[in-house]
Amino acid sequence: MTINSVRPTRCAWLDCTKADYVKYHDEEWAVPVYDDHKLFEFIILESAQAGLNWYTILKRRDGYRKAFANFDVNQVAQFNAAKVEQLMQNDTIIRHRAKIKAAINNAQAFIAIQQQFGSFSQYIWDFVGNKPIMNQVDDTTVAPATSALSDKISADLKQRGFTFFGSTICYAYLQACGLINSHSKQCFLHHSLNRINNG
């Protein structure tokens, strides 16, 4: 057996038979995101996930990118009723009227936060003191779905007009965007991201 043939240990929730899922886990999940464009992308994707498996959304990511103007928040904020009807016929995304309307509504609320705080990134990262939280998870298949932090942020976002972004979706968002590192302690990325985050 060569060194290259040894597979790294990954989070237990990951289906390693899906190459795109492995790529997402290895290269994106829990990597800190500071770019507003990317942060908005995950607002749309995580909101669409509500009640569904994340992989269901991940494999439709390109569809969402095309349907939602390459995740341009200013364009999405201008979508009208006719655009909603068009998106309801688009089988490359989840055709759920309330979720589609939420994406448009949340784009408008996202812009309002940018205007108030200078960037959405500055707003969201202030909740964690600009430093990722390192969870100590032994088994990611039984990890919590919410936290006091996600309760607080989702409540604040709701007050600012967000919809389809409750505590569970918010917690998934915080993990995806790297504000919380929930890679299991056995996962090779738990320690490598911790070293990066701590300089």
Side-chain angles (χ1 to χ4, degrees), residues 52-116:
L52 302 171
N53 180 281
W54 170 245
Y55 188 69
T56 300
I57 303 302
L58 183 64
K59 65 185 180 182
R60 290 173 171 78
R61 193 176 191 176
D62 284 340
Y64 272 94
R65 182 175 289 109
K66 293 172 184 175
F68 287 91
N70 195 32
F71 303 116
D72 183 315
V73 67
N74 293 294
Q75 289 190 52
V76 175
Q78 297 299 317
F79 284 5
N80 56 22
K83 184 65 173 180
V84 171
E85 295 308 316
Q86 178 186 332
L87 291 172
M88 283 295 294
Q89 304 305 314
N90 188 336
D91 63 5
T92 68
I93 65 172
I94 301 299
R95 290 177 287 183
H96 187 292
R97 188 176 299 275
K99 290 181 179 181
I100 291 171
K101 287 185 174 181
I104 301 167
N105 173 80
N106 292 348
Q108 296 164 358
F110 189 99
I111 291 171
I113 289 174
Q114 287 180 315
Q115 293 172 342
Q116 181 177 351

Side-chain angles (χ1 to χ4, degrees), residues 17-185:
T17 67
K18 297 179 171 68
D20 52 349
Y21 213 1
V22 173
K23 180 178 174 64
Y24 172 73
H25 170 273
D26 289 2
E27 298 179 10
E28 288 191 77
W29 195 63
V31 175
V33 175
Y34 300 97
D35 175 67
D36 271 19
H37 183 268
K38 192 81 167 178
L39 287 166
F40 177 64
E41 174 182 351
F42 276 105
I43 290 286
I44 288 184
L45 297 179
E46 294 291 352
S47 296
Q49 184 199 349
L52 302 171
N53 180 281
W54 170 245
Y55 188 69
T56 300
I57 303 302
L58 183 64
K59 65 185 180 182
R60 290 173 171 78
R61 193 176 191 176
D62 284 340
Y64 272 94
R65 182 175 289 109
K66 293 172 184 175
F68 287 91
N70 195 32
F71 303 116
D72 183 315
V73 67
N74 293 294
Q75 289 190 52
V76 175
Q78 297 299 317
F79 284 5
N80 56 22
K83 184 65 173 180
V84 171
E85 295 308 316
Q86 178 186 332
L87 291 172
M88 283 295 294
Q89 304 305 314
N90 188 336
D91 63 5
T92 68
I93 65 172
I94 301 299
R95 290 177 287 183
H96 187 292
R97 188 176 299 275
K99 290 181 179 181
I100 291 171
K101 287 185 174 181
I104 301 167
N105 173 80
N106 292 348
Q108 296 164 358
F110 189 99
I111 291 171
I113 289 174
Q114 287 180 315
Q115 293 172 342
Q116 181 177 351
F117 292 89
S119 70
F120 188 83
S121 178
Q122 187 168 329
Y123 160 79
I124 198 76
W125 277 96
D126 187 57
F127 282 99
V128 294
N130 297 304
K131 184 171 182 173
I133 294 171
M134 288 296 299
N135 275 354
Q136 301 298 319
V137 181
D138 287 310
D139 182 358
T140 53
T141 63
V142 294
T146 63
S147 70
L149 177 64
S150 65
D151 290 347
K152 179 179 180 180
I153 296 176
S154 63
D156 192 73
L157 287 171
K158 183 177 181 180
Q159 288 186 336
R160 296 176 184 279
F162 272 68
T163 55
F164 260 96
F165 213 77
S167 188
T168 300
I169 291 300
C170 184
Y171 192 70
Y173 178 79
L174 297 175
Q175 293 177 104
C177 294
L179 286 87
I180 298 174
N181 181 348
S182 286
H183 283 286
S184 69
K185 290 188 290 185

